[in-house]
């Protein structure tokens, strides 16, 4: 089937032949390969031809992360108007059938252009904000629990048929505010709708499908009429009917009818499919399943990684409205794009080891399963909530669940929505934990609404050894409790250790090229409130404890011509790793190590052994204190100073380097002086979001990050006190009041980025590229 002529002028291109490559011309999104695993089926494209024309589909196909995101970002050049267009032309008979039912599916939030779209989106989005969604959690949990009750003692179930289809459907109906009746019929209608829009039904099937779609349309209309009579209830549709009364010119009757039907599909099928994909993926990766059974705090991260790896929306479509380029490839006005977001989510250029399931992946939330920008899925946080609850209920009540072996997974053939039609699982009911402890059925954890916090990502480590490193200093070696290699790290990185009731940060001081272990050195602080005392008194070989990170807020600039390293006391830990790194790469450096007495200076033997004459030891007891003024008397172009130690030393270095080039001095910060926001001192301001088309008000006592999250905008965060740089956003306009310790002076002056967890607007308005 060809739905579009090859756009290439063959006459002009005759010398080189048709430039559509053999693989591009063989591409078939309805073929077995794409249907089984879309990102794997277009791996060749990501690697060799990331934007190509598919003659059989009549679409340009876009497969790399940056290109897909760029298309999502620009909804003017890349119109969403064809997002719901039937990918296969409808037969005359099917069209007649749809007409018979008065089917008049119109534009909805998914496929409308500006300037209509954003005013509607703004009017209709309040029920999707986290503060509203939280009220739905008890309903989601109750439903999930009741459905698990039905099969928990059976020992075998098809999770799709027995839970994952109906619960999201019921949640969708509750959320929309429509009755629960006619569920079985609705299920049939929903499947029909998917095939109608994204599938390739045969001419005979088209008529059956059209019958069901027509009935679905009529059903939506009947419910809408019912709700119109009394729109005072909860739910998105009653809310929208009320909004229509105030803004009839923005929200029309036909619009309401269309979003009613589209809303059911959008809220239901995508979540049902995503849940089935996630459980299948986790059970196929048994170790990961067992990890989240053991530590349910990892579930929000597992949800995000499953959405990235095997999301339920494989691809979207866009119409090109002007001659342009995508990924450097010229694409003409009028071209249709198939943007394969599932492929973008497996792009190695953006996600390391993209085919692996890594629930501690740093950037999993960058996935494009929900789209991006002004058309991003409004229901994303409802979906996240449902997935968390499902995983929590199943891992707690049926941790011994496993896939029925050798089952064949089938998918409804279509380009965009994706999930197995059946998911058979089995377990031994006699081993159900709630048989021994009935309270397990009721246990629950608070659900996280929105994207997961990086703070929650931890792994269990075992203490390998604890060795004396100097007076009151021990060196601790740690390994992953599961025996696997620990994540890679770079000089300057630190980890967070959970030590009893407190969490403390320690720089890594071992060898980054030995991934099996981490080493830290800990000084016993006489005023310790638990951290260093706990390490000295409780850590023994074999002790296990949670570790988060590593993270690096103190990175080496690899371009420096010479490095001056200055360590004070236990501040040697990040500095020695940096000095080792520069030595190994043959760079030029000097290492100044200051301490009270050599007996109290940890790792001194190692410094002497490895850094020889580059090392300068400054001991107060020996009268060889460091003269920082003399050390930094002569600024040197290309020299970078890296320092870690007591504040007194860092202040002295800052003073002594004031005449050096900007940004020459780098110091390690573990804490900021950031205070609680005082509304008497702070002012409120607006943040315009250029990619999302929204304006968010930031209250005087609120951070930009909190305001963005309340508006449903995902921004990753970690420290949330201006230390790590995770929450960075690009600034399009407006002056920033920088309050972080991440950006250098020149970066602040450039005013092109800000840390949203702490920095604010100087004036009444700021504009961010989000
Ligand atoms: Fe760490 Fe904002 S989250 S700087």
């Amino acid at each position: 089937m060809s739905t579009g002529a090859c756009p290439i002028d063959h006459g002009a291109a005759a010398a080189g032949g048709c430039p559509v490559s053999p693989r591009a011309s063989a591409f078939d999104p309805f073929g077995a390969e794409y249907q089984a695993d879309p990102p794997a089926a277009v791996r060749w494209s990501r690697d060799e031809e990331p934007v190509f024309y598919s003659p059989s589909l009549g679409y340009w196909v876009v497969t790399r992360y940056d290109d897909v995101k760029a298309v999502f970002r620009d909804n003017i050049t890349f119109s969403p108007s064809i997002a719901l267009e039937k990918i296969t032309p409808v037969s005359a008979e099917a069209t007649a059938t749809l007409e018979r039912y008065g089917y008049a599916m119109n534009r909805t939030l998914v496929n409308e252009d500006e300037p209509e779209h954003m005013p509607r989106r703004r009017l209709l989005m309040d029920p999707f904000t986290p503060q509203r969604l939280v009220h739905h959690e008890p309903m989601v949990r109750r439903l999930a629990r009741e459905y698990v009750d039905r099969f928990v003692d059976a020992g075998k179930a098809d999770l799709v048929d027995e839970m994952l289809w109906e619960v999201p459907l019921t949640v969708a109906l509750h959320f929309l505010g429509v009755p629960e009746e006619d569920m079985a019929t609705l299920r049939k209608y929903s499947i029909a709708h998917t095939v109608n829009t994204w599938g390739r039904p045969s001419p005979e099937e088209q008529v059956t499908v059209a019958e069901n779609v027509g009935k679905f349309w009529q059903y939506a209309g009947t419910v809408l009429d019912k709700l119109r009579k009394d729109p005072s209830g909860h739910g998105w549709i009653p809310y929208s009917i009320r909004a229509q009364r105030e803004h009839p010119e923005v929200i029309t009757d036909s619009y309401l009818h269309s979003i009613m039907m589209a809303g059911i599909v959008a809220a239901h099928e995508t979540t049902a499919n995503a849940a089935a994909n996630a459980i299948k993926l986790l059970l196929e990766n048994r170790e990961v399943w067992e990890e989240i059974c053991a530590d349910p705090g990892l579930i929000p991260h597992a949800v995000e990684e499953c959405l990235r790896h095997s999301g339920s929306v494989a691809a979207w479509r866009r119409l090109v409205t002007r001659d342009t380029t995508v990924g450097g490839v010229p694409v003409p006005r009028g071209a249709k794009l198939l943007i394969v977001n599932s492929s973008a989510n497996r792009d190695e250029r953006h996600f390391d080891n993209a085919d692996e399931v890594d629930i501690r992946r740093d950037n999993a939330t960058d996935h494009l399963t929900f789209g991006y920008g002004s058309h991003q899925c409004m229901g994303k946080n409802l979906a996240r909530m449902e997935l968390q609850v499902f995983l929590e209920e199943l891992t707690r009540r049926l941790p011994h669940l496993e896939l029925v072996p050798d089952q064949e997974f089938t998918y409804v053939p279509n380009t965009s929505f994706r999930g197995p039609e059946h998911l058979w699982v089995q377990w031994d009911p006699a081993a159900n934990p709630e048989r021994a402890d009935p309270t397990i059925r009721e246990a629950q954890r608070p659900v996280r609404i929105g994207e997961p916090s990086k703070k929650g990502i931890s792994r269990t480590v075992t203490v390998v050894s604890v060795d004396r490193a100097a007076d009151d200093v021990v060196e601790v070696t740690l390994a992953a409790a599961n025996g696997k290699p620990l994540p890679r790290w770079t000089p300057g990185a630190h980890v967070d250790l959970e030590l009893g009731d407190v969490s403390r940060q320690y720089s890594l001081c071992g060898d980054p090229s030995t991934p099996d272990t981490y080493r830290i050195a800990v000084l016993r602080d006489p005023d310790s409130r638990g951290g260093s005392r706990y390490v000295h008194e409780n850590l023994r070989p074999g002790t296990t404890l949670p570790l988060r990170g590593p993270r690096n807020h103190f990175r080496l600039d690899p371009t420096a011509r010479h490095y001056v390293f200055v360590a004070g006391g236990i501040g040697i830990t990040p500095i020695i790793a940096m000095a080792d790194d520069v030595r190994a790469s043959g760079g030029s450096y000097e290492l100044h190590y200051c301490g009270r007495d050599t007996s109290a200076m940890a790792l001194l033997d190692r410094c002497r052994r490895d850094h020889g004459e580059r090392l300068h030891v400054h001991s107060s007891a020996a009268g060889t204190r460091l003269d920082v003024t003399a050390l930094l008397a002569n600024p040197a172009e290309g020299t970078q100073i890296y320092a870690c130690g007591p504040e007194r030393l860092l202040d002295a270095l800052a003073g002594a380097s004031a005449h050096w080039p900007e940004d020459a001095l780098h110091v390690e910060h573990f804490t900021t002086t950031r205070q609680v926001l005082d509304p008497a001192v702070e002012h409120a301001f607006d943040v315009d979001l250029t990619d999302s088309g929204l304006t968010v008000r930031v209250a005087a006592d609120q951070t930009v990050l909190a305001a963005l999250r309340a508006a449903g905008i995902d921004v990753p965060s970690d420290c949330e006190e201006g230390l790590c740089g995770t929450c960075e956003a690009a600034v399009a306009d407006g002056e920033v009041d920088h309050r972080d310790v991440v950006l250098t002076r020149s970066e602040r002056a450039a005013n092109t980025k800000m840390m949203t967890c702490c920095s604010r607007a100087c004036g009444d308005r700021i504009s961010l590229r989000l």
Side-chain angles (χ1 to χ4, degrees), residues 542-562:
T543 308
T544 57
L545 63 164
L547 171 145
R548 288 184 281 115
R551 279 180 284 269
N552 199 340
H553 311 162
F554 191 38
R555 288 198 176 81
L556 262 182
D557 172 359
T559 64
R561 270 187 249 142
H562 181 74

Side-chain angles (χ1 to χ4, degrees), residues 172-180 219 223 227 234 237-238 260 264:
L173 294 172
H174 274 291
F175 178 78
L176 295 171
V178 302
E180 286 180 47
Y219 170 83
V223 176
L227 292 172
H234 295 295
I237 296 300
M260 171 90 188
I264 292 171

Side-chain angles (χ1 to χ4, degrees), residues 97-261:
T97 305
L98 287 170
E99 274 170 15
R100 194 155 39 78
Y101 283 98
Y103 180 74
M105 188 68 167
N106 216 318
R107 296 269 175 244
T108 67
L109 289 161
V110 175
N111 61 350
E112 64 191 353
D113 283 314
E114 306 304 344
E116 287 79 22
H117 167 250
M118 279 317 293
R120 286 174 176 158
R121 186 174 169 104
R122 284 188 207 109
L123 277 180
L124 299 178
M125 71 185 300
D126 189 66
F128 293 93
T129 55
Q131 63 269 34
R132 299 268 180 272
L133 287 178
V134 74
H135 301 299
H136 295 285
E137 184 194 336
M139 176 261 297
V140 174
R141 193 171 290 279
R142 176 179 55 77
L143 285 167
R145 203 163 279 177
E146 286 173 5
Y147 274 73
V148 175
D149 284 345
R150 295 180 191 178
F151 58 72
V152 71
D153 291 318
K156 188 172 178 184
D158 173 1
L159 285 182
V160 174
D161 269 3
E162 296 176 50
M163 176 180 180
L164 301 179
W165 194 271
E166 289 193 4
V167 176
L169 177 55
T170 313
V171 170
L173 294 172
H174 274 291
F175 178 78
L176 295 171
V178 302
E180 286 180 47
E181 59 217 29
D182 295 330
M183 202 170 283
T185 320
L186 224 116
R187 171 182 174 153
K188 200 167 69 183
Y189 294 162
S190 290
I191 291 180
H193 184 272
T194 303
V195 176
N196 182 50
T197 307
W198 288 279
R200 191 162 61 174
S202 66
E204 305 75 53
E205 285 169 336
Q206 280 194 20
V207 177
T208 315
V209 163
E211 282 283 338
N212 284 320
V213 170
K215 286 178 192 159
F216 192 2
W217 174 256
Q218 287 199 337
Y219 170 83
T222 309
V223 176
L224 189 58
D225 288 342
K226 212 185 297 179
L227 292 172
R228 270 210 184 92
K229 292 193 182 106
D230 176 16
S232 61
H234 295 295
W236 191 47
I237 296 300
Y239 178 90
S240 304
I241 294 170
R242 297 197 294 273
Q244 185 194 26
R245 290 186 176 172
E246 293 199 11
H247 304 276
E249 73 296 348
V250 180
I251 302 169
T252 61
D253 278 350
S254 74
Y255 191 74
L256 273 183
H257 196 159
S258 297
I259 63 166
M260 171 90 188
M261 180 163 158

Side-chain angles (χ1 to χ4, degrees), residues 569-728:
I570 199 64
I572 188 64
T573 49
I575 295 295
I576 196 170
M578 291 180 162
D580 287 353
D581 187 75
V582 175
R583 181 181 65 100
S585 62
S588 165
Y589 71 101
E590 58 196 274
L591 170 57
H592 297 266
Y593 187 3
C594 317
R596 177 171 43 83
D597 194 331
T598 52
S599 67
M601 294 167 70
L603 311 175
L604 187 54
D605 288 347
R606 188 173 131 197
C607 288
R608 285 185 169 132
R609 183 192 72 204
D610 294 340
H611 298 287
E613 65 214 26
R614 308 285 179 96
L615 174 69
H616 305 270
V617 177
H618 306 275
S619 147
S620 314
T624 54
R625 286 176 85 110
L626 174 64
D627 180 347
V628 292
T629 309
L631 177 69
L632 303 179
N634 300 314
E637 189 70 26
T639 293
Q640 300 281 321
I641 311 155
Y642 286 84
C644 184
E647 288 298 321
R648 210 176 51 249
L649 173 67
L650 302 184
D651 289 347
L653 288 164
S657 64
H659 59 301
W660 279 60
E662 279 193 17
D663 311 331
L665 175 65
H666 308 263
V667 299
E668 169 80 310
H669 293 277
F670 280 134
T671 54
T672 61
T673 51
R674 195 167 71 85
Q675 305 290 323
V676 174
L677 291 170
D678 179 354
V681 178
E682 309 291 349
H683 70 280
F685 54 93
D686 286 325
V687 181
D688 296 322
L689 306 177
T690 57
D691 292 351
S692 311
L694 295 173
T695 296
V696 174
R697 184 75 176 160
V698 181
D701 60 351
Q702 191 182 29
T703 63
V704 174
L705 182 67
L708 291 172
R709 291 219 169 120
I713 304 294
D714 293 340
V715 180
S717 72
D718 187 349
C719 70
E720 299 193 3
E721 50 181 325
L723 291 166
C724 69
T726 309
C727 64
E728 178 182 309

